[in-house]
């Protein structure tokens, strides 16, 4: 998409018309591969170059290249029959058509960060469409917009913006390896979300392929589907190939800090106080606190370490007085802070500080959430947790199986509270003080221990129920958690079953998502353990 994206779309549309579905004339072809290769045309690259079967020597490296949670990379993890890495939209159309025809399930992979591995694991015979070759980024500095393809990772997008401007940015995620496709599909929060909203609040157009191979943009798909794909979760409606977004302005200098306190340094009081302060800070500040158990350096005794980290849209001379006014207890001083450009702050928060910016382009870099294999869960908090309750929480972190556990609070408020709950499928807006993310991680070799860690996090989640949103107990779709319910295998997805997790992720927006699903994919081809079900006809 180096040239104009608009000529590109035109090309795609013409491509569609000339290819069309006349290929379906090959009805006697009962072989999936033959079906795929029947989609050839002399004007487009041959699909046979991008089909990886299990007997292909590079199949494993392609599969594993984007497995971001080694919990789903074991000898018993089900593997795809075929991986297709399309070079052209017609390859995607062909894969949809042939998977449908041969009764194979299709999984779509952009960055492979799905917390439950749904982009590359299925219990039924399946095919992966891996969008690794759909990753161009087209920045239009003058109009402050960009087209970015789903297979790009956030780092590639950030890098491309930074090449063109120091003061343009986009409100996306903290870890640069996350894929645009899944991240945008589920909402997408990050350092700028209290100022500019989620990624989906800044999407203005998209290019989408539906179950019938039609290529649609915002105008042709209509506002309901365009609403649904901006936060309704990946893998439910079709394949989004590219997104048009509005870029945002950032100052040339931003400021970051991280201050860590143990219990002996009054961490409990500070975390308790943080709950009152952080959600009310101006939108220019991102504020989070992570808590984990550590050995205190003094006596080698265990304690809790609370790390307060922030990102501020401005210089240190403005941040210090603001924090001294709002949160004097933290005792922030100039020496705790570092000024940098926003792109450097991505490296800082991604813990790849001091590396060259080119690390953002490194797709093989693995961001580890407390261990290469992990389990994560989420909650939303509407009322402060009482100070005394933290003692109980810390005691859970002292349990043996919590050695690798971490809990993070991410402040909401500001812009997030101004956007109506129904503006996008993402419903966790006004009234939410902060989000909790719980993670336990482990080394892949620790398969046996992994069961203990999983049990610990489930027990801890259950313990936390009295402190968090209750009706429903809300959860973030991009922190996918199969524990809160999955669709039945085999028969058609039961709406009642899906509405258990559906209401937690989407609250009442779930109904509209079901309506859109019924319209665009009534036979439920795009399906996984937590895909939106169509109403039964
Ligand atoms: C290390 C790490 C850091 C993270 N940091 C953040 C963060 O800062 N902020 C945040 O909001 N989230 C964050 N997340 C969560 C992340 O947003 C989700 O896991 C997201 O779904 C990942 O997108 P992906 O493309 O990398 O994943 P994938 O596994 O490729 O996709 C996720 C889901 O979307 C579907 N999908 C993928 N591409 C498409 C497409 N083109 N069209 C339709 N469906 C598609 C997949 O089938 C799958 O169901 C993080 C996750 C990890 C592992
Ligand atoms: C593996 O698949 C790729 C893509 O289809 C192909 O180019 C390559 O020749 C195959 N390798 C082998 C050993 O068959
Ligand atoms: C893999 O298997 C397919 C069909 O079973 C066959 O056509 C192909 O030649 C095989 N490729 C290799 C590299 O063995
Ligand atoms: C902890 O707080 C108390 C009062 O609330 C204060 O007297 C004490 O100095 C603080 N300790 C540290 C290490 O900051
Ligand atoms: C903490 O201390 C315990 C017991 O002394 C030890 O087994 C453990 O390895 C230490 N952990 C870390 C992270 O240093
Ligand atoms: C980055 O470099 C600075 C100065 O050289 C150093 O003080 C800092 O510890 C480094 N940070 C990391 C994360 O390596
Ligand atoms: C699916 O439903 C049909 C008819 O409703 C029933 O006969 C069949 O046993 C069901 N299969 C499964 C796997 O539940």
């Amino acid at each position: 998409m180096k040239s104009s994206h608009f000529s590109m779309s035109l090309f795609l549309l013409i491509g569609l018309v000339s290819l069309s579905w006349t290929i379906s004339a090959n009805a006697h072809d009962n072989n999936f591969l033959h079906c795929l290769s029947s989609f050839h045309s002399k004007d487009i690259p041959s699909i046979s170059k991008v089909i990886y079967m299990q007997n292909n020597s590079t199949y494993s490296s392609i599969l594993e290249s984007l497995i971001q949670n080694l919990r789903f990379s074991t000898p018993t993890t089900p593997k795809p029959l075929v991986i297709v890495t399309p070079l052209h939209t017609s390859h995607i159309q062909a894969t949809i058509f042939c998977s449908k025809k041969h009764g194979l399930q299709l999984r779509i992979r952009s960055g492979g960060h799905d917390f439950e591995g749904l982009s590359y694991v299925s219990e039924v015979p399946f095919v992966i469409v891996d969008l690794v070759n759909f990753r161009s980024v087209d920045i239009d500095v003058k109009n402050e917009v960009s087209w970015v393809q789903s297979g790009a990772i956030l780092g590639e997008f950030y890098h491309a913006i930074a090449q063109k401007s120091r003061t343009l940015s986009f409100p996306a995620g903290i870890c640069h390896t996350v894929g645009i496709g899944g991240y945008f599909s589920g909402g997408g929060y990050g350092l700028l979300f209290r100022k500019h909203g989620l990624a989906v609040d800044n999407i203005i157009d998209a290019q989408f392929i539906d179950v019938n191979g039609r290529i649609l943009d915002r105008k042709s798909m209509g506002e309901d589907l365009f609403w649904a794909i901006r936060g309704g979760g990946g893998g439910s409606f079709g394949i989004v190939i590219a997104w048009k977004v509005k870029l945002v302005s950032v100052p040339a200098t931003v400021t970051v800090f991280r201050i860590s306190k143990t219990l002996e340094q009054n961490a409990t009081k500070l975390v308790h106080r943080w709950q009152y302060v952080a959600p009310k800070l101006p939108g220019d500040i991102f504020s989070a606190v992570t808590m984990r158990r550590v050995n205190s350096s003094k006596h080698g005794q265990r304690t809790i370490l609370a790390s307060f980290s922030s990102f501020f849209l401005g210089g240190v001379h403005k941040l210090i007085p603001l924090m001294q006014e709002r949160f004097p207890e933290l005792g922030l001083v100039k020496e705790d802070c570092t000024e940098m450009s926003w792109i450097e702050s991505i490296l800082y928060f991604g813990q790849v500080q001091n590396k060259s910016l080119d690390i953002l382009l490194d797709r093989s870099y693995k961001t580890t959430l407390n261990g290469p294999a992990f389990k994560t869960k989420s909650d939303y908090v509407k009322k402060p947790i009482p100070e005394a309750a933290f003692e109980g929480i810390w005691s859970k972190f002292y349990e043996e199986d919590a050695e690798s556990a971490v809990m993070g609070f991410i402040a909401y408020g500001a812009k997030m509270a101004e956007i109506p709950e129904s503006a996008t499928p993402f419903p966790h807006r006004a009234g939410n003080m902060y989000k909790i993310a719980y993670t336990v991680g482990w080394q892949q070799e620790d398969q046996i221990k992994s069961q203990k860690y999983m049990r610990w996090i489930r027990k801890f989640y259950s313990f936390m129920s009295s402190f968090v949103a209750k009706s429903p107990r809300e959860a973030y779709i991009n922190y996918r958690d199969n524990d809160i319910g999955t669709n039945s295998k085999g028969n058609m997805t039961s709406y009642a079953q899906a509405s258990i997790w559906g209401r937690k992720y989407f609250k009442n927006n779930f109904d509209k998502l079901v309506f859109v699903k019924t319209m665009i994919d009534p036979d439920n081809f795009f399906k996984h353990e937590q895909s939106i079900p169509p109403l039964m006809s």
Side-chain angles (χ1 to χ4, degrees), residues 154-159 162 169-177 183 190-192 254 256 258 311 340-355 357 359-360 365 367:
L154 297 182
E156 289 170 319
F157 187 32
Y158 290 145
H159 193 275
S169 179
F170 186 73
I174 298 162
C175 298
H176 72 270
T177 54
Y183 178 86
L191 296 176
L192 297 171
V254 304
V256 301
R258 188 178 298 121
F311 163 94
M340 53 181 66
S341 65
W342 77 268
I343 188 85
E344 287 162 344
S345 76
I346 296 295
L347 301 190
Y348 176 86
F349 280 94
Q351 321 243 328
V352 288
Q353 206 186 348
N354 295 350
K355 296 231 163 71
L357 279 188
I359 184 106
L360 297 175
Y365 183 84
T367 315

Side-chain angles (χ1 to χ4, degrees), residues 47-53 55-59:
I47 194 172
S48 64
K49 294 200 179 69
V50 293
I51 300 170
Y52 299 87
M53 310 264 294
N55 63 358
N56 184 297
S57 52
T58 45
Y59 167 92

